[in-house]
Amino acid sequence: MDINESSGNDTEEDAPYLRDPRDDEDTETDADAGADDDDDDDDDDDDDDDDDSSDESEESAAGSSDLEGPVVTPAIQIPVRQAGVEIVSYYNTGMTAAARLLRRQSPLDVPKDTVDYRFHTRFQQDFYQTVILAKAGIASEAQWVDWTHMANLGHEICDEVAQMCEDRYIKDIMGFQHDWNKEVIAQFYATVYFGHDPENGNERTIYWMIEGHHYQCSYISFCRYLRLDD
């Protein structure tokens, strides 16, 4: 059976995984200062394009949203912490039970108590930093089965294996190939909550956060997206 390694957005060149977002502040300030100087030099050139710029601005405003802006690939970062708030390590001995208990508590009905935009509760933030980031690779290298190649081999055993996987509704997910991002995966596992949606017949639902945005998906929809249903 031929198995190919799935490609990913993150590579070993991205190490180290830990990066303090505050390190970027000076860089951004310098860049802004340089941009201001360039703007002064280009004022005369911009006069001729005022009409075109106005039209483009109106079009941009008409299609703007709360997600507008440059696309930035999320990177592993040390959480921004409020001064005086100590970190709780859920990696220490005896903390597994405490983590399980807090994981069962819904974060939906409590106010946000973190300053880091990626997390809603201190538990999510501390779990991210002390458990998930403590792992060497964050995520395992994914592999996938090239079903087309196996079918082209014309081997009876390969055909039987493919049919067995299809009968058990796992063939599609075994052939799933897609790029991934370690920070997105880390945020998902730090913030995920398995609960019920009271606005949809109390249906079992998965809740999580990515880059400060809240998401939810019912168990049924989740299975359908991965083609795990019949």
Side-chain angles (χ1 to χ4, degrees):
M1 180 183 298
D2 286 3
I3 298 180
N4 296 331
E5 292 188 359
S6 175
S7 60
N9 291 334
D10 301 318
T11 65
E12 296 301 328
E13 296 178 355
D14 294 328
Y17 297 124
L18 296 180
R19 179 168 65 83
D20 194 328
R22 288 167 291 188
D23 293 341
D24 296 334
E25 293 179 357
D26 294 338
T27 302
E28 293 176 356
T29 302
D30 294 341
D32 293 340
D36 292 339
D37 293 339
D38 292 339
D39 290 341
D40 293 339
D41 296 337
D42 296 338
D43 283 343
D44 295 337
D45 296 337
D46 291 342
D47 292 339
D48 297 335
D49 299 331
D50 285 344
D51 294 338
D52 294 338
S53 299
S54 298
D55 294 339
E56 293 176 358
S57 297
E58 292 176 0
E59 292 177 0
S60 299
S64 63
S65 69
D66 58 343
L67 298 179
E68 67 181 41
V71 177
V72 179
T73 301
I76 297 293
Q77 303 177 33
I78 298 175
V80 177
R81 188 169 298 278
Q82 186 176 0
V85 177
E86 296 184 0
I87 184 173
V88 177
S89 177
Y90 292 97
Y91 195 78
N92 291 341
T93 303
M95 294 299 291
T96 301
R100 288 176 177 172
L101 179 62
L102 290 171
R103 178 70 77 182
R104 295 191 185 103
Q105 297 179 5
S106 173
L108 308 175
D109 303 324
V110 297
K112 179 179 173 65
D113 60 2
T114 64
V115 295
D116 194 303
Y117 73 97
R118 296 170 296 169
F119 310 104
H120 189 76
T121 66
R122 292 178 187 173
F123 165 70
Q124 295 173 347
Q125 178 172 299
D126 291 344
F127 189 87
Y128 169 92
Q129 183 170 353
T130 63
V131 178
I132 297 177
L133 297 194
K135 299 179 179 180
I138 306 296
S140 301
E141 294 296 317
Q143 294 183 332
W144 59 283
V145 179
D146 189 341
W147 293 114
T148 301
H149 174 73
M150 289 184 62
N152 292 335
L153 292 176
H155 291 173
E156 182 178 353
I157 294 180
C158 292
D159 294 340
E160 291 180 359
V161 170
Q163 187 60 51
M164 291 176 62
C165 293
E166 185 172 357
D167 293 342
R168 289 167 172 75
Y169 308 109
I170 59 174
K171 182 178 179 181
D172 287 316
I173 196 171
M174 290 181 67
F176 182 82
Q177 181 194 21
H178 203 285
D179 291 344
W180 71 91
N181 178 279
K182 293 186 177 73
E183 169 64 5
V184 170
I185 295 174
Q187 289 184 27
F188 173 82
Y189 281 109
T191 62
V192 67
Y193 168 69
F194 300 92
H196 297 80
D197 185 1
E199 297 182 358
N200 193 21
N202 216 30
E203 185 175 25
R204 298 181 68 183
T205 304
I206 306 172
Y207 301 87
W208 72 95
M209 292 176 61
I210 298 294
E211 290 295 278
H213 297 280
H214 293 264
Y215 299 90
Q216 69 180 70
C217 180
S218 69
Y219 279 34
I220 294 177
S221 297
F222 184 81
C223 291
R224 287 175 177 171
Y225 291 144
L226 294 179
R227 299 181 181 177
L228 296 176
D229 62 334
D230 55 1

